[in-house]
């Protein structure tokens, strides 16, 4: 009976109703480039290389000064062009000074290289001095200071040869004052460019300068000791070629030679201990406690001290 039919059964669709439901005429294709780009097909595509490149904004209108500067001949020269030309001349001047500096260093003309380095430091760009950390210039300054007062001495190649013979070679001798100036130079750079948390990882700061300073310090002590040992073993210091040397005299000379060797080693140990102490003080604080170069240097210094 239609009057007694439950109205809840009328809302339940049948299988026949599902077959007659409207279907989508154009199903969505998720591989469609328009769908991937989120761009409707009824909208025109953006100009340029879209979607391979970003949409470029339209160029802003040029000012009156720029339009006057584009005339031939130019009616007005903006100040920006004058500043750019001045910067270009200063950049060319700096490039020429850098070329002269490298030429002087290759020829071992350290006096002239020192004067050229001073001119580079005095060069300014927009009121600011040259940043010595760029292009590795900070290491060149220490090299010039260390070798500015270098001398040469003739070293015999064989103990049986005389000093005046042809079997000799010239050796570069670096002065103690040069080593001190180079270490002071690195100390000033460390104070001027400390390591900060906001510093970029590629920026030269104290974390990169400390290993260079310790390398020069270690080289200074070892170079001084090696020169002392060579002088001790030179023919002028030890001459046993004569056949009429008394046995007691030879024994005394051997004892003096050993005592001199021990004194050189003791002096080297005394000068190396401050290096180890300075490294220990530095490695206590971060970020130096995780520096591979400083940790490696401390290990090598420990082996060096154990050999002494």
């Amino acid at each position: 009976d239609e009057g007694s039919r439950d109205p809840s059964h009328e809302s339940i669709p049948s299988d026949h109703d599902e077959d007659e439901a409207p279907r989508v005429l154009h199903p969505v294709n998720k591989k469609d480039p328009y769908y991937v780009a989120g761009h409707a097909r009824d909208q025109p595509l953006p100009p340029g290389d879209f979607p391979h490149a970003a949409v470029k904004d339209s160029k802003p209108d040029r000012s009156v000064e720029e339009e006057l500067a584009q005339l031939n001949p130019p009616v007005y020269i903006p100040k920006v062009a004058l500043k750019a030309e001045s910067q270009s001349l200063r950049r060319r001047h700096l490039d020429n000074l850098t070329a002269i500096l490298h030429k002087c260093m290759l020829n071992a003309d350290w006096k002239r290289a020192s004067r050229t380095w001073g001119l580079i430091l005095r060069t300014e760009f927009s009121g600011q001095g040259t940043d010595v950390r760029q292009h590795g210039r900070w290491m060149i300054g220490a090299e010039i200071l260390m070798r500015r007062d270098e001398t040469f001495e003739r070293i015999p190649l064989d103990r049986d040869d005389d000093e005046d013979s042809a079997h000799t070679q010239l050796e570069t001798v670096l002065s103690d004052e040069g080593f001190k100036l180079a270490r002071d130079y690195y100390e000033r750079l460390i104070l001027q460019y400390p390591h900060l948390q906001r510093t970029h990882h590629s920026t030269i700061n104290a974390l990169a300068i400390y290993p260079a300073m310790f390398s020069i310090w270690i080289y200074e002590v070892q170079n001084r000791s090696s020169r002392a040992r060579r002088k001790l073993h030179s023919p002028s210091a030890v001459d046993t070629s004569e056949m009429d040397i008394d046995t007691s005299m030879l024994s005394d000379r051997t004892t003096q030679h050993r005592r001199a060797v021990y004194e050189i080693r003791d002096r080297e140990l005394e000068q190396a201990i401050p290096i180890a102490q300075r490294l220990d003080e530095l490695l206590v604080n971060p970020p130096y406690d995780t520096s591979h170069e400083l940790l490696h240097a401390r290990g090598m210094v420990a082996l060096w001290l154990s050999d002494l």
Side-chain angles (χ1 to χ4, degrees):
D1 188 7
E2 295 181 359
S4 62
R5 183 182 300 175
D6 189 1
S8 61
H9 293 284
E10 296 180 357
S11 61
I12 300 176
S14 61
D15 296 339
H16 181 70
D17 295 337
E18 292 181 358
D19 295 338
E20 294 180 356
R23 297 181 179 180
V24 180
L25 298 178
H26 300 285
V28 176
N29 183 11
K30 294 186 178 181
K31 296 183 179 180
D32 186 17
Y34 284 84
Y35 176 79
V36 175
H39 191 79
R41 283 185 172 273
D42 56 348
Q43 297 293 332
L45 292 176
D49 297 333
F50 179 85
H52 303 288
V55 179
K56 297 181 180 179
D57 298 334
S58 59
K59 296 182 179 180
D61 297 336
R62 293 185 300 178
S63 61
V64 179
E65 291 83 0
E66 294 178 352
E67 292 181 357
L68 295 177
Q70 294 295 329
L71 297 178
N72 189 14
V75 180
Y76 174 77
I77 300 178
K79 296 181 180 180
V80 178
L82 294 175
K83 184 177 180 180
E85 183 179 359
S86 176
Q87 295 292 342
S88 177
L89 292 176
R90 290 181 180 273
R91 178 64 60 183
R92 191 182 308 171
H93 175 67
L94 180 61
D95 294 340
N96 294 334
L97 289 177
T98 304
I100 295 173
L101 174 64
H102 287 287
K103 181 64 176 177
C104 295
M105 294 178 66
L106 289 175
N107 295 336
D109 189 358
W110 301 107
K111 297 290 185 181
R112 189 170 297 174
S114 178
R115 293 194 294 267
T116 308
W117 175 251
L119 293 175
I120 291 177
L121 294 180
R122 295 185 185 95
T123 304
E124 294 184 355
F125 293 93
S126 301
Q128 297 181 357
T130 305
D131 191 355
V132 297
R133 297 176 297 173
Q134 295 180 354
H135 309 292
R137 295 192 186 101
W138 61 281
M139 294 182 289
I140 294 178
E143 187 75 14
I144 292 174
L145 290 173
M146 187 172 57
R147 296 184 177 273
R148 187 171 56 180
D149 299 329
E150 67 178 8
T151 57
F152 298 92
E153 64 179 10
R154 190 169 294 278
I155 302 296
L157 296 178
D158 192 2
R159 293 182 58 181
D160 296 335
D161 298 332
D162 296 333
E163 289 185 350
D164 297 332
S165 64
H167 300 282
T168 58
Q169 65 177 359
L170 287 177
E171 185 184 42
T172 303
V173 179
L174 303 179
S175 63
D176 296 339
E177 182 66 21
F179 281 116
K180 184 178 182 302
L181 290 175
R183 287 195 287 115
D184 292 342
Y185 168 78
Y186 280 136
E187 292 283 1
R188 290 194 300 269
L189 285 182
I190 290 171
L191 295 177
Q192 187 175 0
Y193 305 107
H195 178 78
L196 304 176
Q197 292 184 354
R198 62 179 181 273
T199 305
H200 195 265
H201 63 87
S202 61
T203 305
I204 301 298
N205 50 40
L207 191 61
I209 300 174
Y210 266 120
M213 188 197 70
F214 283 112
S215 298
I216 284 187
W217 198 352
I218 294 172
Y219 178 72
E220 174 187 359
V221 177
Q222 291 183 343
N223 182 64
R224 189 182 296 116
S225 299
S226 62
R227 285 192 290 109
R229 291 190 185 95
R230 282 195 296 269
K231 289 181 179 180
L232 185 62
H233 293 287
S234 62
S236 59
V238 180
D239 189 6
T240 59
S241 59
E242 299 294 336
M243 301 300 298
D244 56 349
I245 297 179
D246 190 9
T247 305
S248 60
M249 185 182 300
L250 183 60
S251 177
D252 294 340
R253 182 172 297 180
T254 304
T255 304
Q256 294 177 0
H257 181 269
R258 290 180 178 177
R259 186 181 297 110
V261 171
Y262 292 150
E263 290 178 356
I264 294 174
R265 295 180 63 178
D266 292 341
R267 193 181 308 114
E268 184 178 357
L269 178 61
E270 182 181 356
Q271 296 173 359
I273 289 177
I275 302 177
Q277 293 176 351
R278 179 70 182 277
L279 277 170
D280 291 337
E281 295 175 359
L282 185 64
L283 291 174
V284 173
N285 304 318
Y288 308 108
D289 56 346
T290 57
S291 174
H292 298 285
E293 296 180 350
L294 293 177
L295 291 173
H296 181 266
R298 183 61 183 93
M300 294 297 101
V301 169
L303 293 176
W304 177 29
L305 295 178
S306 63
D307 292 337
L308 296 177

